């Protein structure tokens, strides 16, 4: 048993965590967007497609197929990275999901990751949240651990931007609707001007 644990530790000797701040999003708002295991392509700028292979989006055992933007990760021009990934845990209360990468064309063997959202500055009352992406995997032949961490950092930075943009868009729509409602209630249609986004 100790030998198996030692072998697993050796196999998964690459571990790390990348983070990105999302100061304009609460942890609950960000989690509401990121918690759908099948919506990864909406938030990660390097993922072009994400679809269900089997299972339910928030249930362990769900399998997704993800395909990257062709040629984005330094691969062959026109070729896209792809992977099948299995959801292992979906913890709504802890705002975290853990998954395993299975078949892929990127050279990964054993690969586990946890994507989570934590409130930032709660003690200081500053609000916002932090996106966290933790990984543990076997070394990838021909790739440095730092290159993998940089790729994940780029991805989580893009995810934080997209989450904030989506929330700003929703808040903007709500603000425009409130302005329109106020103008309609006051009977002054000229107050609307060009403030409503088309």
């Amino acid at each position: 048993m100790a030998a198996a644990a030692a072998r697993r530790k050796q196999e998964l000797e690459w571990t790390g965590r990348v983070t990105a701040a999302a100061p304009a999003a609460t942890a609950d708002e960000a989690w509401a967007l990121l918690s759908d295991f099948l919506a990864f392509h909406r938030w990660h700028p390097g993922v072009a497609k994400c679809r269900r292979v089997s299972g339910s989006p928030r249930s362990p055992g769900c399998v997704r197929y993800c395909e990257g933007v062709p040629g984005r990760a330094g691969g062959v021009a026109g070729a896209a990275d792809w992977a099948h990934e299995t959801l292992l845990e979906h913890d709504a209360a802890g705002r975290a999901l853990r998954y395993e990468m299975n078949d892929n064309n990127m050279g990964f063997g054993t690969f586990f990751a946890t994507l989570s959202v934590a409130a930032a500055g709660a003690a200081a009352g500053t609000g916002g949240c932090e996106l966290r992406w933790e990984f543990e995997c076997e070394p990838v032949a021909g790739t440095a651990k730092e290159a993998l961490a940089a790729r994940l950092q780029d991805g989580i930075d893009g995810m934080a931007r997209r989450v904030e943009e989506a929330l700003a868009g929703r808040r903007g729509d709500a603000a425009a609707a409130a302005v329109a409602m106020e103008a309609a209630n006051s009977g002054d249609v000229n107050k609307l001007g060009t403030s409503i986004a088309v």
Side-chain angles (χ1 to χ4, degrees):
M1 188 188 267
R7 189 185 62 158
R8 182 173 185 271
K9 182 177 180 352
Q10 180 181 4
E11 287 175 356
L12 303 181
E13 65 187 53
W14 281 9
T15 61
R17 176 201 280 187
V18 294
T19 63
T26 69
D28 288 338
E29 287 173 328
W31 175 247
L33 300 176
L34 298 173
S35 64
D36 183 349
F37 190 60
L38 302 179
F40 199 47
H41 62 297
R42 292 183 191 149
W43 312 115
H44 192 298
V47 177
K49 299 176 186 175
C50 181
R51 63 176 166 76
R52 181 175 64 88
V53 174
S54 63
S56 299
R58 290 178 175 86
S59 298
C62 179
V63 176
R64 70 184 178 191
Y65 168 81
C66 289
E67 185 175 298
V69 175
R72 180 175 186 274
V76 178
D81 291 341
W82 61 265
H84 285 100
E85 298 171 335
T86 303
L87 182 62
L88 302 175
E89 298 173 38
H90 189 282
D91 179 3
R95 295 187 213 95
L97 56 85
R98 181 169 171 77
Y99 64 94
E100 176 180 12
M101 185 185 301
N102 308 117
D103 297 333
N104 67 87
N105 70 344
M106 297 172 282
F108 287 100
T110 303
F111 182 97
F112 294 97
T114 301
L115 181 63
S116 62
V117 180
T126 58
C129 71
E130 181 178 78
L131 309 186
R132 299 173 178 169
W133 204 357
E134 299 174 53
F135 67 92
E136 55 182 316
C137 65
E138 298 173 331
V140 180
T143 301
K145 178 183 173 185
E146 295 75 21
L148 171 61
R151 183 174 177 180
L152 293 175
Q153 185 67 58
D154 182 49
I156 200 137
D157 287 343
M159 291 168 68
R161 278 190 304 276
R162 285 189 171 186
V163 163
E164 288 196 317
E165 288 167 4
L167 292 171
R170 288 180 183 177
R171 290 176 185 136
D173 291 346
V179 168
M181 180 74 78
E182 182 179 320
N185 287 340
S186 70
D188 187 358
V189 179
N190 291 328
K191 280 187 181 178
L192 294 176
T194 58
S195 66
I196 298 177
V198 181

